């Protein structure tokens, strides 16, 4: 590898690295505002100036200067220090003294670097300029007078999010960053632009003036609003969760999260179930825990196990699923289902329901076929990875399903299952690329598998993957789905599926573990609801048992690629609510079928013993785990419907009880709905 010297210390570096990266390899801190390792290089803040030999005797921007063999880099010479002082002075000439009221205060790059590299006085005496505020939607608050034109937000929205709705206009002193035609930013990843802002020009509108960062308790956890399991940090003060920010996890979400992950937190405090309820005379009344549990036990005791059904929701942790499986399985209940949407997966080897390429590994694919999925709505961070791979010029994408704006071009191959079975007969550029691909991948979503003919569609899609040597990937939308399938939370012999249980006469007693996405209008069953919000399930329930949200309990979640991750409790459950597994443990005593664990650790030991995959924290099998997968055995033969594939996510911001309780998500959904109507007109 080539070498150069940084302040007299010899450093080896990889070809293609810039001077800033090489300096950091040597342990030198280089200040910067515009440079970000995941964005293109702009070189316009000039804060990263260094001196380089051989070269002209002047400071040079290290972010935009390629490192070369035998180059000498100087980061702390008098010339460099004077240049940095001058740049900082220049950046601050128009910046207002807003720090006491700025939401960025305490975690602001400009504050930090002004302390480290700024002058103690300014020579600027002219009037400061002011800039009009911009409307960027319900989640981004602007104070554009603070802006230093680093263009990080512009580059993120354009390059990563793929929605070029922010730009730079005018020249010189009149330059401004703005949206086009005062239009809101319509990306599902727009909140990340606020994270990237190194000053307080962009801040989080839903959290404005609510906290100071040093007041918050920070808890590392994982997201449950989709099946990616993005790494997050939950910031709380007292009993309230005030914000969610991304953590860096290169294997899952890099450093991005979706707006739903970030801004739905206000839904954690609204419409909450904080005490048990029992329905009497068609009206729910508050009850004590003993009364509610006794009523549940009495109903279950007098009902035949074959007339009892259990449906698990999309946000359930593995511990609650295990407790429910042990309790109701021990009582002889065969109708258990974790697939609210009716997805036709759960039989056969584990690799048959996983995203086997892995989230990071999909960047190695050269051709991807999307079947019945819209990753922009179902997994925005994964969609950003696909866009990144496409931007590198190494990815061809084909779509069978809905026509949608995925933020990158694709070749539309058809709407439904008939296009899938006739794919081999098509002659187009995509098929030519697919046949010649070295690392093809098929990504199948719930839009294809959660249908009456889902098993037949799975067989057809697996046949395509087998014919072209493609990696088999299932993109789930529910955080609890893979964990439930891994432990076998599916109907046993003679049991009924979720769709069958909610039909009239499908069950006498229906237990819902946070299941709010099933249609309960037809059921005449006695409904027991264990959940967190007054959502669809609670509205229909005869007995309500208040549970804990994902920020209120320690839990295990398995993401769509099969990665086992730990969520941590940031705050305690609301009111009299309890952790789900503890409620089931208390219920088991009243049913005379006491579960063999008294603590969460005991439960996890039982879980790991019965299902060893849950003990492999942060491990994924990846393509190696799918090497022995018999694609020919996937699914089941049967007739295919002519109906087009449709993504299960119709309103991105309103997919679960927490999001539906969120004011911010309601505002975003209304904005998107209004934009869709305008576009349709």
């Amino acid at each position: 590898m080539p070498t150069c010297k940084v302040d007299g210390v010899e450093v080896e570096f990889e070809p293609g690295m810039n001077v800033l990266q090489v300096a950091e390899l040597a342990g030198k801190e280089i200040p910067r505002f515009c440079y970000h390792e995941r964005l293109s290089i702009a070189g316009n803040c000039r804060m990263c100036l260094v001196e380089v030999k051989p070269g002209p005797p002047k400071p040079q921007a290290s972010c935009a200067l390629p490192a070369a063999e035998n180059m000498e880099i100087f980061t702390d010479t008098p010339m460099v220090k004077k240049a940095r002082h001058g740049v900082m002075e220049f950046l601050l000439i128009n910046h207002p003294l807003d720090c006491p009221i700025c939401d960025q205060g305490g975690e602001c790059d400009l504050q930090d670097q002004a302390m480290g590299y700024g002058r103690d006085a300014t020579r600027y005496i002219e009037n400061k300029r002011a800039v009009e505020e911009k409307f960027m939607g319900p989640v981004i608050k602007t104070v554009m007078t603070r802006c230093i034109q680093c263009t990080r937000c512009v580059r993120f929205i354009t390059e990563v999010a793929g929605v070029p709705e922010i730009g730079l206009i005018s020249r010189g002193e009149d330059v401004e960053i703005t949206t086009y035609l005062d239009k809101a930013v319509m990306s599902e990843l727009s909140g990340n632009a606020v994270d990237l802002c190194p000053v307080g020009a962009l801040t989080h509108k839903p959290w404005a003036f609510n906290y100071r960062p040093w007041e918050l308790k920070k808890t590392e956890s994982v997201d449950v609003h989709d099946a990616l399991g993005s790494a997050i940090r939950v910031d709380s003060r007292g009993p309230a969760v005030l914000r969610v920010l991304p953590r860096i996890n290169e294997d899952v979400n890099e450093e991005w999260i979706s707006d739903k992950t970030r801004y739905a937190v206000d839904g954690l405090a609204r419409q909450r179930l904080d005490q048990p309820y029992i329905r009497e005379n068609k009206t729910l009344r508050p009850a004590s825990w003993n009364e509610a549990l006794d009523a549940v036990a009495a109903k279950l005791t007098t009902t035949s196990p074959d007339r009892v059904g259990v449906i698990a929701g999309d946000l359930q942790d593995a511990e609650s699923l295990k407790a429910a499986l042990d309790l109701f399985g021990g009582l002889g209940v065969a109708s258990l289902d974790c697939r609210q949407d009716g997805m036709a997966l759960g039989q056969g080897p584990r690799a048959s329901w996983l995203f086997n390429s892995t989230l990071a590994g999909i960047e190695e694919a050269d051709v991807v076929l999307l079947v019945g999925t819209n990753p922009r709505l179902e997994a925005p961070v994964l969609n950003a990875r696909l866009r990144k791979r496409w931007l590198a010029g190494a990815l061809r994408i084909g779509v069978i399903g809905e026509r949608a704006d995925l933020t990158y071009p694709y070749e539309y191959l058809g709407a439904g299952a008939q296009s899938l079975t006739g794919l081999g007969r098509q002659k187009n550029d995509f098929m030519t690329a697919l046949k010649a691909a070295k690392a093809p991948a098929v990504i199948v979503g719930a839009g294809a598998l959660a249908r009456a003919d889902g098993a037949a569609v799975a067989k057809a899609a697996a046949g395509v993957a087998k014919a072209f040597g493609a990696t088999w990937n299932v993109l789930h939308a529910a955080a609890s789905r893979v964990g439930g399938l891994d432990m076998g939370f599916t109907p046993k012999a003679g049991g009924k599926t979720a769709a069958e249980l909610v039909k009239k006469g499908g069950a006498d007693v229906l237990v819902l573990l946070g299941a709010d996405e099933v249609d309960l209008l037809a059921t005449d069953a006695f409904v027991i609801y264990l959940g967190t919000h007054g959502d669809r399930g609670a509205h229909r329930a005869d007995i309500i048992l208040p549970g804990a949200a994902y920020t209120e309990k320690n839990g295990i979640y398995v993401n769509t690629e099969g990665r086992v991750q730990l969520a941590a409790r940031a705050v305690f459950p609301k009111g009299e609510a309890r952790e789900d597994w503890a409620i089931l443990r208390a219920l088991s005593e009243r049913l005379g079928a006491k579960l063999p664990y008294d603590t969460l650790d005991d439960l996890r030991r039982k879980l790991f013993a019965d299902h060893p995959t849950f003990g492999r924290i942060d491990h994924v099998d990846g393509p190696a785990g799918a090497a022995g997968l018999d694609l020919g055995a996937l699914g089941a033969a049967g007739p295919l419907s002519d109906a087009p594939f449709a993504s299960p996510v119709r309103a991105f911001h309103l997919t679960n009880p927490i999001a539906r309780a969120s004011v911010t998500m309601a505002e975003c959904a209304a904005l998107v709905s209004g934009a869709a109507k305008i576009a349709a007109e």
Side-chain angles (χ1 to χ4, degrees):
M1 289 197 298
T3 61
C4 66
K5 287 186 177 181
V6 179
D7 293 335
V9 178
E10 192 169 280
V11 178
E12 287 188 346
F13 63 92
E14 296 181 8
M17 296 181 76
N18 59 38
V19 169
L20 186 151
Q21 293 170 317
V22 173
E24 292 197 332
L25 283 179
K28 300 295 181 179
E29 180 183 301
I30 305 295
R32 85 291 297 269
F33 291 112
C34 69
Y35 176 78
H36 192 278
E37 56 271 16
R38 301 188 199 277
L39 304 176
S40 62
I41 293 173
N44 55 5
C45 78
R46 318 310 286 180
M47 195 64 207
C48 63
L49 295 173
V50 297
E51 189 177 350
V52 174
K53 293 181 180 179
K58 65 175 184 179
Q60 299 191 60
S62 60
C63 69
L65 184 63
E69 178 77 35
N70 297 325
M71 177 183 281
E72 291 188 68
I73 303 166
F74 302 93
T75 66
D76 56 2
T77 62
M79 179 194 293
V80 170
K81 292 178 180 178
K82 181 179 179 182
R84 289 176 180 170
H85 286 163
V87 169
M88 180 59 71
E89 182 182 10
F90 178 75
L91 290 175
L92 292 175
I93 60 175
N94 286 315
H95 198 82
L97 296 177
D98 277 353
C99 298
I101 63 161
C102 177
D103 277 324
Q104 196 86 331
E107 46 192 11
C108 174
D109 291 350
L110 188 63
Q111 282 183 332
D112 296 341
Q113 294 185 40
M115 290 294 294
Y117 305 98
R119 293 165 53 95
D120 59 357
T122 181
R123 295 165 287 181
Y124 188 76
I125 60 173
E126 288 77 14
N127 292 329
K128 290 177 178 282
R129 77 163 187 165
V131 182
E132 289 185 358
E133 305 313 335
K134 309 296 186 292
F135 174 71
M136 293 192 181
V139 300
I140 301 179
K141 179 177 182 290
T142 67
V143 184
M144 299 312 292
T145 301
R146 301 171 185 161
C147 181
I148 62 170
Q149 288 82 45
C150 70
T151 69
R152 278 188 179 183
C153 57
V154 176
R155 285 175 284 149
F156 172 81
I157 290 294
T158 302
E159 298 167 8
V160 179
V163 183
E165 294 174 336
I166 300 178
L168 201 66
I169 62 170
S170 301
R171 299 177 67 184
E173 189 182 14
D174 296 325
V175 71
E176 294 182 31
I177 286 177
T178 183
T179 57
Y180 302 111
L181 306 176
D182 285 331
K183 182 175 179 287
V185 179
M186 301 298 287
S187 170
E188 295 76 20
L189 299 167
S190 61
N192 296 288
V194 180
D195 288 344
L196 290 172
C197 183
V199 295
L202 305 182
T203 53
H204 301 284
K205 186 180 288 187
W207 311 332
F209 311 124
N210 278 353
Y211 59 82
R212 282 301 195 180
W214 53 83
E215 301 174 333
L216 305 179
K217 183 185 78 171
K218 302 167 178 62
T219 306
E220 294 187 353
S221 189
V222 295
D223 173 50
V224 301
H225 288 279
D226 58 33
L228 297 191
S230 299
I232 60 172
R233 194 187 79 196
V234 180
D235 288 359
S236 59
R237 183 178 61 202
V241 174
L242 295 185
R243 67 178 184 180
V244 164
L245 298 177
R247 288 188 294 120
I248 295 177
N249 187 333
E250 300 292 351
D251 293 331
V252 180
N253 60 305
E254 298 181 291
E255 61 183 85
W256 319 124
I257 54 174
S258 73
D259 287 353
K260 183 166 52 179
T261 298
R262 185 188 302 269
Y263 295 117
V265 290
D266 62 322
L268 291 167
R270 300 183 71 253
Q271 300 181 14
R272 287 300 302 271
L273 302 173
D274 58 1
Q275 66 182 92
Y277 289 88
I278 296 176
R279 189 178 297 276
E280 289 183 355
N281 300 322
K282 299 183 179 180
T283 302
L284 288 170
R285 66 165 180 85
S288 68
W289 269 109
N290 285 333
E291 186 182 7
L293 290 174
D294 287 343
V296 172
K299 190 66 180 178
L300 289 172
T301 302
T302 57
T303 305
S304 173
D306 63 344
R307 298 297 299 164
V308 175
V310 184
I311 303 175
D314 294 346
L315 308 183
Q316 292 303 116
D317 56 291
E319 290 89 345
S320 65
L321 293 175
K322 177 59 175 172
L325 187 64
D326 287 350
L327 173 59
F328 292 102
L331 294 173
V333 175
S335 301
L336 304 100
D337 204 349
C338 66
R339 305 163 301 180
Q340 287 188 95
D341 55 10
M343 180 177 283
L345 286 176
Q347 306 297 323
R350 184 174 188 247
S352 65
W353 57 76
L354 295 184
F355 197 93
N356 293 293
S357 291
T358 73
L359 300 175
I362 199 65
E363 293 186 29
E364 303 299 321
D366 51 2
V367 177
V368 170
L369 174 63
L370 303 177
V371 180
T373 182
N374 181 341
R376 181 175 175 183
L377 299 182
E378 297 168 34
V381 176
L382 172 65
N383 198 62
R385 280 194 186 271
L386 292 172
R387 175 175 169 80
K388 181 169 75 169
R389 178 67 168 163
W390 169 77
L391 280 174
L395 182 63
R396 297 288 293 272
I397 301 167
V399 170
I400 298 179
E402 293 179 302
R403 290 184 185 270
D405 179 7
L406 298 181
T407 72
Y408 43 77
Y410 57 82
E411 296 178 56
Y412 190 68
L413 305 172
Q418 305 303 327
S419 301
L420 187 61
T421 55
L423 190 65
R425 297 188 296 274
Q426 293 190 26
K427 295 182 180 180
N428 50 47
D429 292 343
F430 178 80
M431 291 308 302
T432 301
L434 183 59
K435 292 173 183 176
K438 296 181 180 178
V442 172
I443 300 177
V444 187
L449 300 175
R451 314 189 332 161
D453 63 343
V457 172
K459 189 169 189 65
V464 171
K466 183 176 182 180
F468 295 100
T471 306
W472 173 258
N473 298 292
V474 177
L475 180 58
H476 294 281
S480 65
R481 185 64 50 80
V482 173
L485 296 178
D486 282 352
M487 68 177 66
F489 204 102
T490 51
K492 306 301 181 282
K496 298 177 181 178
T497 65
E500 293 169 336
L501 287 171
V502 297
K503 291 179 180 178
K504 187 174 182 179
D508 292 340
V509 176
L510 193 57
V511 180
L512 304 179
L513 301 179
D516 292 281
E517 314 309 321
V518 289
D519 184 1
L520 298 171
L521 294 176
T523 184
D524 54 356
F526 185 90
V527 177
I528 300 165
Y529 179 77
L530 193 166
T532 60
H533 285 72
D535 206 78
R536 299 163 183 166
H539 288 173
R540 175 59 184 80
D542 295 288
I543 298 178
I544 294 175
L545 305 176
Y550 74 104
T551 55
E552 300 163 2
K553 58 187 175 183
N554 296 309
I556 292 175
Y557 292 89
V558 189
N559 76 350
T560 192
E561 61 182 349
R563 185 184 302 273
V564 180
Q565 297 179 291
L566 299 176
R569 181 174 62 199
V571 296
F572 288 96
K574 305 297 181 189
E576 297 179 29
R578 299 290 182 267
E579 294 184 29
D580 300 14
W581 76 266
I583 296 171
L584 294 168
R585 166 64 177 76
L587 177 61
S588 70
E589 284 196 83
R590 287 169 167 78
L591 291 170
K594 182 178 177 181
L595 293 173
Y597 29 78
D598 298 325
T599 66
L600 183 64
D601 288 340
D602 292 341
L603 170 52
R604 285 182 173 175
R605 278 191 284 271
K606 181 77 160 53
L607 174 64
F608 298 163
D610 293 348
H611 311 282
T613 56
F614 287 90
R616 299 185 294 171
I617 306 299
D618 205 37
H619 170 81
V620 287
D621 292 330
L629 178 63
D630 182 5
L631 291 171
L634 271 183
L640 291 168
S641 168
D642 291 333
F645 297 142
S647 171
V649 179
R650 312 312 299 172
F652 167 75
H653 301 94
L654 305 173
T655 56
N656 59 61
I658 298 173
R660 286 191 287 271
S662 166
V663 173
T664 305
M665 292 295 98
E667 292 174 351
C668 292
L671 183 69
V672 171
S673 177
K677 289 179 182 178
I678 292 172
E681 292 168 358

